[in-house]
Amino acid sequence: MITSDRMAAVDVNAEALGVPRKQLMESSGNAVASAVSERAEPGSTVAIVAGRGNNGGDAFVAARFLDEYDVSVHLLGRAETIGTEIARENWDALEAGDYETVEVKDSRALDLPDADVIVDAMLGTGVAGALREPAATAARAIDDADATVIAVDVPSGVDADTGEAPGAAVEADHVVTFHDQKPGLTDLDIDVTVADIGIPEAAELFVERGDLLALERDPRSHKGDHGEVLVIGGGPYSGAPALSAQAAFRAGADLVRVAVPETIAPDVRGFSENFIVEPLTGDALAPGHVDELLELAADQDAVLIGPGLGDDEGTLDAVGEFLASYDGRVVVDADALQVVPEVETDAELVCTPHQGELRKMGGPAADDWEERADAVSAFAGEIGATLLVKGAHDVISDGETTRVNRTGNPGMTVGGTGDVLAGVTSALVTAIEDPVQAAGVGAYANGRAGDLAVDDHGYGLVATDLPPLVADALWNDAE
Ligand SMILES: NC(=O)C1=CN([C@@H]2O[C@H](COP(=O)(O)OP(=O)(O)OC[C@H]3O[C@@H](n4cnc5c(N)ncnc54)[C@H](O)[C@@H]3O)[C@@H](O)[C@H]2O)[C@H](O)CC1
Ligand SMILES: [K+]
């Protein structure tokens, strides 16, 4: 089962891993042609009704595999409005190959032949809202026709994730969907074929640039929409909470508050004028601070607890009490991690241990990353948290979904890069709904930033190089 957002990411990841989209479209088109030939004898009349996106593109490819049929392709619009290069190339190939193609100027002009099979290739996962004209009238014309209707990927007008049709929709007899079943198709009592179109398993497992699509922002958003983060840290160390806070900004947080013991508050303030520093009495986090922290955390979108806390007993008690009473999203890092296995909490935990900290949490040790992926998935399920286990290959899992990140380099063993990753992740869990995807993008961006830093500084990179490069990795790194 795969949602259309994840499908879009996997599609781009496949391309990043060397499988061209054009090849995916060829495979999709081939699968559609197979579905036609399983339901109609050669010589039958096949009418293809195509939209101007890649859903239509799939059917242009299918037409080329249906030479033994009497095929006509009806494009809803003019060829020059075809929206993607690969669909346009496939349309041009039809015209060059003397296939029967019709550009339907408007819905009144759709003149379907008396067909044995109609292929519905108007819209797939790109549909947004109720069907607009001419697709709406075309959908009714398809339903009124006395033909077997085969839908490409999703019946046009149906939302692939919910199965709902806010407006007109094609009632298909059969759907050929690609790569994996779509949630919205399972409730429709229609016969569905899931066609393998050559997307490698790696495109779902490895975090690649397709996963950055999850960060696309609604243009109508406004201040505060993109994450208010509270960082709880410091005590013996002031650099760690400051680095995490800076990293949270660079990963898109709108507001960052930093709650640190008053003894280091001036240092943290000195690090950047962007933070709102909330001084805590004394020189270390203590149980007496918990109520104040819960108040501060109440209207935040995420909390990060751990950077630079130190591990004296009172501090760890305070972490346990905070987690036991908080029910929002919390990224837990560094010394706070050891508290997690013993604490009962309603909070949604995202833990970011390195392998040594994972063992201290009672987690598995496994050198080989594939073994580690399975072991981390099992442990994440056991403790009911999302784990991001750092390593040459970072492993991210919540026990259900497991991702692996391969960006980064040995230069990143320098102190502080973990504080940056924790800060980045605390901002991303406010922007990306699924914590596994958020942590995966966090690991990817942190590693990419490290790779960009090595380009500038070799292995002389330091953690403070990373935060600005994280922003580059997230927003300026399109290949
Ligand atoms: N993901 C994969 O691995 C592959 C997907 N393929 C096919 O591509 C489509 C998705 O293509 P896309 O171009 O993103 O969108 P669509 O073609 O589904 O639709 C876009 C098209 O429709 C217009 N439109 C959007 N909303 C409406 C509306 N409410 N009413 C009318 N028209 C609408 C929009 O303007 C565009 O013109 C996927 O389903 C697969 O079939 C790849 O080819 C194979 C791999
Ligand atoms: K369709």
Short mmCIF file of all heavy atoms in Angstrom, two decimals, residues 55 120-124 151-156, ligand 2:
data_model
loop_
_atom_site.label_atom_id
_atom_site.label_comp_id
_atom_site.label_asym_id
_atom_site.label_seq_id
_atom_site.Cartn_x
_atom_site.Cartn_y
_atom_site.Cartn_z
N ASN A 55 -0.45 10.59 -16.61
CA ASN A 55 -1.46 9.52 -16.68
C ASN A 55 -1.78 9.32 -18.16
O ASN A 55 -1.79 8.19 -18.66
CB ASN A 55 -2.71 9.94 -15.90
CG ASN A 55 -3.62 8.75 -15.57
OD1 ASN A 55 -4.75 8.70 -16.04
ND2 ASN A 55 -3.13 7.80 -14.79
N ASP A 120 -9.31 4.80 -19.69
CA ASP A 120 -9.46 6.08 -18.98
C ASP A 120 -8.07 6.51 -18.49
O ASP A 120 -7.56 6.03 -17.48
CB ASP A 120 -10.40 5.90 -17.79
CG ASP A 120 -10.18 6.99 -16.74
OD1 ASP A 120 -9.73 8.10 -17.12
OD2 ASP A 120 -10.38 6.70 -15.53
N ALA A 121 -7.45 7.42 -19.28
CA ALA A 121 -6.11 7.91 -18.92
C ALA A 121 -6.17 9.42 -18.78
O ALA A 121 -5.22 10.14 -19.16
CB ALA A 121 -5.12 7.50 -20.00
N MET A 122 -7.27 9.92 -18.18
CA MET A 122 -7.39 11.37 -18.06
C MET A 122 -6.55 11.88 -16.89
O MET A 122 -5.73 12.78 -17.01
CB MET A 122 -8.87 11.76 -17.87
CG MET A 122 -9.75 11.38 -19.06
SD MET A 122 -11.36 12.17 -18.97
CE MET A 122 -12.13 11.21 -17.66
N LEU A 123 -6.74 11.25 -15.72
CA LEU A 123 -6.02 11.72 -14.52
C LEU A 123 -5.69 10.53 -13.64
O LEU A 123 -6.45 9.58 -13.57
CB LEU A 123 -6.93 12.63 -13.69
CG LEU A 123 -7.26 13.95 -14.31
CD1 LEU A 123 -8.75 14.08 -14.42
CD2 LEU A 123 -6.69 15.02 -13.47
N GLY A 124 -4.60 10.66 -12.94
CA GLY A 124 -4.23 9.59 -12.00
C GLY A 124 -3.99 10.24 -10.65
O GLY A 124 -4.86 10.93 -10.12
N ALA A 151 -9.13 1.69 -16.31
CA ALA A 151 -8.57 2.96 -15.81
C ALA A 151 -7.06 2.82 -15.60
O ALA A 151 -6.60 1.78 -15.09
CB ALA A 151 -9.24 3.36 -14.50
N VAL A 152 -6.33 3.86 -15.97
CA VAL A 152 -4.87 3.89 -15.78
C VAL A 152 -4.56 4.45 -14.39
O VAL A 152 -4.96 5.56 -14.06
CB VAL A 152 -4.21 4.79 -16.86
CG1 VAL A 152 -2.71 4.90 -16.61
CG2 VAL A 152 -4.50 4.24 -18.25
N ASP A 153 -3.93 3.62 -13.58
CA ASP A 153 -3.47 3.95 -12.23
C ASP A 153 -4.62 4.18 -11.24
O ASP A 153 -4.65 3.56 -10.19
CB ASP A 153 -2.54 5.19 -12.23
CG ASP A 153 -1.59 5.16 -11.02
OD1 ASP A 153 -1.41 4.09 -10.43
OD2 ASP A 153 -1.07 6.22 -10.67
N VAL A 154 -5.53 5.06 -11.55
CA VAL A 154 -6.68 5.37 -10.67
C VAL A 154 -7.84 5.78 -11.58
O VAL A 154 -7.60 6.47 -12.56
CB VAL A 154 -6.36 6.59 -9.77
CG1 VAL A 154 -7.41 6.77 -8.68
CG2 VAL A 154 -4.99 6.50 -9.16
N PRO A 155 -9.09 5.38 -11.28
CA PRO A 155 -10.19 5.89 -12.11
C PRO A 155 -10.20 7.43 -12.01
O PRO A 155 -10.08 7.98 -10.89
CB PRO A 155 -11.44 5.30 -11.46
CG PRO A 155 -10.95 4.11 -10.70
CD PRO A 155 -9.58 4.48 -10.22
N SER A 156 -10.26 8.11 -13.16
CA SER A 156 -10.16 9.58 -13.13
C SER A 156 -11.25 10.19 -12.25
O SER A 156 -12.41 9.83 -12.35
CB SER A 156 -10.27 10.12 -14.56
OG SER A 156 -9.20 9.61 -15.31
K K B 2 -7.04 7.48 -14.89
#
